[in-house]
Amino acid sequence: MNTIIAKAGVDDDRMYEQAAEILKRGGLVAFPTETVYGLGGDALNPDASHRIYAAKGRPSDNPLIVHIAETSSVYELAETVSDDTKKLMEAFWPGPLTIILNKKEVVPHTTTGGLDTVAIRMPSHPVAMRLIKDSGVYIAAPSANLSGRPSPTTAQHVQQDMDGRIDMIIDGGAVGIGIESTIVDMTGDRPTILRPGYITPEMIRDIVGDVTIDPAITGMNNALRPKAPGMKYTHYAPKGELSIVEGDRLAAAEKIRSLVAEKKAQGYKTAILCDTDNVSLYDDGVCENVYDAGSKKNEITVSAGLYSLLRTCDDIGAQYIYSESFEEGDMGYAIMNRLIKAAGHRIISC
Ligand code: AMP
Ligand code: MG
């Protein structure tokens, strides 16, 4: 398949028309959202969801998020929209919050991975918005990466994974947030966070009062089954062995320097992910491929570049990767959730 690559902002009318045609006939279009790039297909067309699973190499029990452009669409897709749900929609849409609701008949089980619930989000990215509106379809879109690869935050990442596998990629530049949406389940007694993201538990608590976090995602008990089926897979893993080194700033840097020295002596290629303020700590003439992963003081600088750095580590062929911990600030929890998964839970404390 020849994948069309179109840049947003060049010949928009033609581009959206072409993308809309593809979606309406059941094809696949990758597009930017404010979180990561999505791989879109018509959410109400089972053939389109089959194509999404095939293109990603994704297990089909892993449900897709349905993207909408108007609040009224929720009532066509979901049963019983509670007052609390309405408050969340009002507070955070359009934006990086996905809400799980009981699905209506029209939503095929292929889209929901066999579940009777549906995940719905209204993205704020202008390209995503216009694509949904112009195509007139609800767009089911998981992240536009091959299953097991880091989510794409640029059109080039999408191209690396999806060229020849999908109909079209819309290049809208680098995304702003860089990690996937917060998922909140509103089908139970209390709002439950199934995946942490830019919208924090505190922000949700401020709107609806009580909120719980799915105990399976806190990482403490590996035996629990996450309520979001996708959270059980080892996602976002770079090809090299990633370890997180946590502890006091100087002690962690010393540990990383010694681990790098040891691996380099054995002939391995290494890389380091560190805070902007700590780059100079690795200036010892031994450390190589030291990447500034953003500043903990401004966590969006960390989330925005995280997946891209993991891909860079793959590109340079790093065999051992050491990352500082970024457990700080409002989004620290969401960032560490992704980083810990990428590291396969390898954490070195010092
Ligand atoms: P992605 O689109 O790649 O960000 O992945 C979508 C995430 O949403 C996965 O972790 C899914 O398991 C989760 N998800 C989608 N629909 C549902 C649902 N109905 N119930 C629970 N989790 C869902
Ligand atoms: Mg994904």
Side-chain angles (χ1 to χ4, degrees):
M1 181 189 295
N2 177 41
T3 303
I4 302 162
I5 299 175
K7 236 184 164 57
V10 178
D11 187 359
D12 276 357
D13 290 344
R14 202 180 109 82
M15 179 186 82
Y16 285 106
E17 200 178 308
Q18 198 172 19
E21 280 312 311
I22 292 170
L23 289 171
K24 279 191 270 197
R25 65 164 167 78
L28 304 184
V29 177
F31 61 98
T33 78
E34 69 276 25
T35 57
V36 301
Y37 270 72
L39 174 55
D42 180 351
L44 303 187
N45 176 348
D47 291 340
S49 0
H50 284 306
R51 287 197 187 102
I52 291 175
Y53 291 120
K56 279 181 67 77
R58 175 175 178 142
S60 58
D61 71 338
N62 191 352
L64 309 173
I65 295 172
V66 180
H67 294 71
I68 60 172
E70 280 159 43
T71 312
S72 59
S73 304
V74 169
Y75 302 90
E76 292 177 26
L77 300 167
E79 302 279 5
T80 48
V81 181
S82 69
D83 287 343
D84 276 351
T85 301
K86 286 179 197 155
K87 285 188 207 158
L88 289 177
M89 284 157 47
E90 211 161 284
F92 301 115
W93 281 1
L97 181 71
T98 296
I99 304 178
I100 309 283
L101 298 167
N102 290 312
K103 81 171 190 72
K104 276 196 171 156
E105 197 71 36
V106 284
V107 185
H109 276 125
T110 41
T111 298
T112 66
L115 299 174
D116 290 326
T117 53
V118 58
I120 307 177
R121 173 165 112 81
M122 188 192 293
S124 64
H125 197 291
V127 170
M129 268 288 183
R130 181 158 172 197
L131 185 63
I132 302 164
K133 285 185 179 155
D134 282 17
S135 65
V137 304
Y138 305 125
I139 301 182
S143 49
N145 52 291
L146 285 174
S147 209
R149 291 270 284 154
S151 294
T153 54
T154 67
Q156 288 69 41
H157 297 161
V158 179
Q159 211 179 336
Q160 283 172 8
D161 285 11
M162 291 295 158
D163 201 19
R165 302 174 74 89
I166 62 176
D167 299 281
M168 185 173 185
I169 299 170
I170 298 181
D171 181 352
V175 301
I177 294 174
I179 58 174
E180 304 82 350
S181 59
T182 304
I183 302 180
V184 63
D185 183 354
M186 295 302 287
T187 64
D189 298 338
R190 299 159 85 188
T192 304
I193 293 179
L194 308 189
R195 178 171 74 184
Y198 179 84
I199 307 288
T200 64
E202 290 70 33
M203 289 160 79
I204 294 176
R205 201 168 284 135
D206 282 348
I207 305 296
V208 296
D210 210 11
V211 57
T212 55
I213 299 177
D214 181 4
I217 64 169
T218 57
M220 295 306 162
N221 186 345
N222 277 336
L224 293 175
R225 190 182 172 83
K227 284 189 74 186
M231 299 295 281
K232 71 176 179 281
Y233 298 107
T234 318
H235 268 189
Y236 331 122
K239 291 174 193 143
E241 185 182 292
L242 168 65
S243 305
I244 301 164
V245 180
E246 63 172 22
D248 165 75
R249 174 175 177 258
L250 295 178
E254 191 183 324
K255 181 74 185 169
I256 291 176
R257 286 196 305 266
S258 77
L259 287 166
V260 164
E262 186 187 315
K263 290 299 176 195
K264 273 191 76 180
Q266 293 165 7
Y268 292 111
K269 185 162 193 170
T270 63
I272 296 172
L273 311 184
C274 69
D275 191 279
T276 308
D277 291 343
N278 296 346
V279 173
S280 62
L281 297 178
Y282 302 99
D283 205 3
D284 64 350
V286 177
C287 292
E288 55 182 3
N289 309 309
V290 179
Y291 296 112
D292 175 353
S295 171
K296 272 178 276 209
K297 291 181 203 138
N298 182 11
E299 311 111 79
I300 198 150
T301 60
V302 180
S303 65
L306 180 65
Y307 289 141
S308 188
L309 278 181
L310 294 178
R311 280 177 184 259
T312 301
C313 289
D314 282 352
D315 294 343
I316 65 161
Q319 291 156 299
Y320 287 91
I321 308 156
Y322 299 100
S323 175
E324 295 180 354
S325 169
F326 291 89
E327 183 89 72
E328 218 171 279
D330 293 338
M331 247 216 298
Y333 175 57
I335 291 168
M336 289 310 286
N337 170 265
R338 308 314 196 271
L339 198 56
I340 289 170
K341 284 180 105 183
H345 292 265
R346 253 183 313 274
I347 302 174
I348 300 167
S349 297
C350 58

